[in-house]
């Protein structure tokens, strides 16, 4: 196994990766901005290197500084976590050119899935069901019109270089098409330096269901069930659960096997997530994420498999120590993302934490770099803790989650714990009866005046 790994990230995920390394006897190198000198991941790591000032582009996105830190400390591998450089194909290439293992997929697979048009074409050819839409990119308005006639309205224009909700426009009728087409292209060109767009039928009230996979890079891919990530606001997930309240065992096995078989054909390496919109019993591929995701602990809770440990084993030698026959989903798990923001206005709330008491007890996991006295910096994502609760079934999980949320103390900075508590009293949520737009409606009707 590697003797030393550099963790090119911050916050709870840097800590998460450190913990897997420590259990495996791997030394860790933390990198940090000047704003994160007192962060928990820096305190716990065996070594740390300051890589720049607070803005991410000068530190956590600063490839030369990170490579220098790896060379100076003699790290044999780099784990990119999520966000930052995790899906940057050039970074993966540079790391490997320096003889350092990139803990993630090949640069070619990151690039393939990063372009949403090539991703969709490739997975369709591999046998994964995709959202009905244009045959690849739509080059001009004439083509847009002919594709629209075939797809029907409402439809969605999407930027090939977008993803995660960036660069999309709904078109309700033909008279909006020309305007929407030119705006989407112009916005995509300005935002991503690539004005390639494609079209899809617009699904009105789907659920967002994603399949977790692990590939060994040698043609073996296992699937680990799904996560239902429909509860989101402005493309930020707020709560995720596994299994999805909408799937039965047969549907789960069918889509999981299909995804694993497809990715085995390309010898996919590492952790990956295949995202679907699920509506009327049908799975429609939208995107693939070629990284470890924020919500991975939900899958760990129901499968008992340490995903970061598997990532490290795969990057080192391709030797996953899990086989499909041994993977089963046991019970139910829910993750609440705890953000440093006002529960109803969503205004960010950085600052010093003086009161901190995380919940505990059976079935409760808190992934967080918080401690009493810590100052939440204003420069980064507002995610400060993940509360992951499991139970033998969804009801037990929900009762335990409500109890854990009640125990959680974070102050005096604001957090969205109150939003999560409000969800625990909503009949539709408790019934698992929700879709991708449901949470925004819930917030609108629940927020105090
Ligand atoms: C869609 C869609 C409806 N129809 N595609 C948004 C994020 C990006 N991953 C894809 N997204 C969507 N694609 C078709 N053909 C609706 C969304 C969407 C969405 C998807 C998942 C989770 C939350 C969402 C919120 C708004 C829109």
């Amino acid at each position: 196994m590697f003797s030393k790994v550099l963790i090119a990230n911050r916050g709870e995920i840097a800590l998460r990766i450190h913990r897997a390394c420590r259990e495996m006897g791997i030394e860790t190198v933390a990198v940090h901005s000047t704003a994160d000198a007192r962060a928990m991941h820096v305190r716990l790591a065996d070594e740390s290197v300051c890589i720049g000032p607070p803005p991410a582009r000068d530190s956590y996105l600063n490839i030369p500084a990170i490579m220098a830190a790896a060379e100076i400390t003699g790290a044999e591998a780099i784990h990119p976590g999520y966000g930052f450089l995790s899906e940057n194909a050039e970074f993966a290439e540079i790391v490997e050119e320096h003889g350092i293992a990139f803990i993630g997929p090949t640069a070619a697979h990151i690039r393939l899935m990063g372009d949403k048009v090539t991703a969709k074409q490739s997975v369709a050819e591999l046998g994964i069901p995709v959202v009905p839409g244009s045959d690849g990119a739509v080059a001009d308005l004439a083509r847009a019109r002919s594709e629209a006639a075939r797809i029907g309205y409402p439809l969605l224009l999407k930027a090939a270089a977008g993803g995660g909700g960036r660069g999309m426009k709904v078109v309700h009728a033909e008279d909006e098409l020309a305007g929407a087409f030119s705006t989407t292209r112009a916005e995509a060109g300005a935002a991503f330096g690539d004005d390639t767009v494609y079209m899809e039928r617009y699904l009105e009230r789907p659920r967002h269901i994603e399949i977790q996979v692990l590939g060994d890079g040698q043609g073996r891919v296992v699937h680990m069930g799904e996560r239902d990530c429909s509860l989101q606001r402005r493309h930020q997930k707020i709560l995720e659960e596994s299994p999805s309240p909408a799937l039965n065992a047969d549907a789960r096995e069918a889509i999981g096997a299909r995804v694993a078989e497809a990715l085995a054909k390309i010898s996919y390496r590492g952790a990956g997530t295949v995202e679907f919109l699920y509506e009327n019993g049908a799975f429609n591929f939208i995107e693939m994420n070629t990284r470890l995701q924020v919500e991975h602990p939900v899958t760990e809770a129901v499968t008992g498999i340490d995903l970061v440990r598997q990532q490290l084993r795969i990057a080192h030698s391709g030797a996953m120590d899990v086989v499909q026959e041994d993977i089963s989903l046991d019970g139910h798990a829910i993750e609440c993302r705890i953000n440093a923001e006002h529960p109803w206005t969503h205004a960010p709330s950085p600052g010093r934490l003086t009161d901190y008491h995380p919940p505990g007890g059976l079935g409760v996991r808190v992934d967080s770099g918080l401690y009493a006295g810590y100052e939440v910096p204003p420069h980064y994502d507002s995610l400060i803790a993940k509360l992951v609760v499991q139970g033998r079934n969804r009801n037990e999980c929900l009762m335990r989650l409500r109890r854990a949320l009640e125990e959680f103390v974070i102050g005096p900075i604001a957090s969205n714990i109150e939003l999560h508590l409000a969800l625990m009293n909503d009949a539709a949520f408790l019934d698992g009866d929700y879709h991708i737009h449901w949470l925004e409606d819930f917030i609108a009707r629940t927020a105090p005046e």
Side-chain angles (χ1 to χ4, degrees), residues 297-298 301 333-336 363-367 386-390 401:
V298 160
I334 299 179
E335 169 179 282
C336 291
V364 177
R365 165 179 176 180
V366 177
D367 276 21
K386 302 188 309 202
L387 170 61
V388 185
V389 171
Q390 61 185 310
L401 178 54

Side-chain angles (χ1 to χ4, degrees), residues 336-355:
C336 291
R337 294 192 187 195
I338 311 299
N339 295 333
E341 66 183 26
H342 190 279
W344 305 112
T345 66
H346 316 285
S349 178
R352 187 174 303 276
L353 192 69
T354 54
D355 313 326

Side-chain angles (χ1 to χ4, degrees), residues 98-116:
H98 283 73
I100 296 170
F102 179 74
I103 302 171
T106 61
H109 283 156
I110 296 174
R111 203 167 271 129
L112 180 75
M113 298 304 173
D115 180 314
K116 305 308 164 190

Side-chain angles (χ1 to χ4, degrees), residues 133-156:
S134 57
D135 180 17
V138 178
D140 51 44
L141 184 58
R143 185 69 191 290
R145 289 196 201 285
S146 62
E147 291 287 354
R150 202 172 51 78
I151 298 165
Y153 293 91
L155 59 76
L156 201 51

Side-chain angles (χ1 to χ4, degrees), residues 6 64-75 78 94-95 97-100:
L6 182 144
I66 292 168
M67 294 311 299
E71 302 256 312
I72 290 164
T73 56
I78 296 181
I94 291 167
V95 170
E97 279 163 15
H98 283 73
I100 296 170

Side-chain angles (χ1 to χ4, degrees), residues 244-256:
S244 168
L247 293 193
N248 62 34
D250 287 347
R252 170 174 310 112
E253 176 56 28
I255 190 67

Side-chain angles (χ1 to χ4, degrees), residues 281-316:
F283 283 94
N284 300 274
F285 171 90
I286 43 170
E287 291 172 23
M288 177 166 183
N289 300 316
T290 54
R291 60 167 192 275
L292 182 74
Q293 289 194 256
V294 175
E295 59 271 28
H296 76 277
V298 160
T299 298
E300 295 185 322
V302 293
T303 62
I305 294 165
D306 180 334
L307 279 161
V308 179
R309 175 187 171 87
Q310 296 307 320
Q311 288 188 293
L312 287 158
R313 292 181 60 97
I314 291 163
H316 183 256

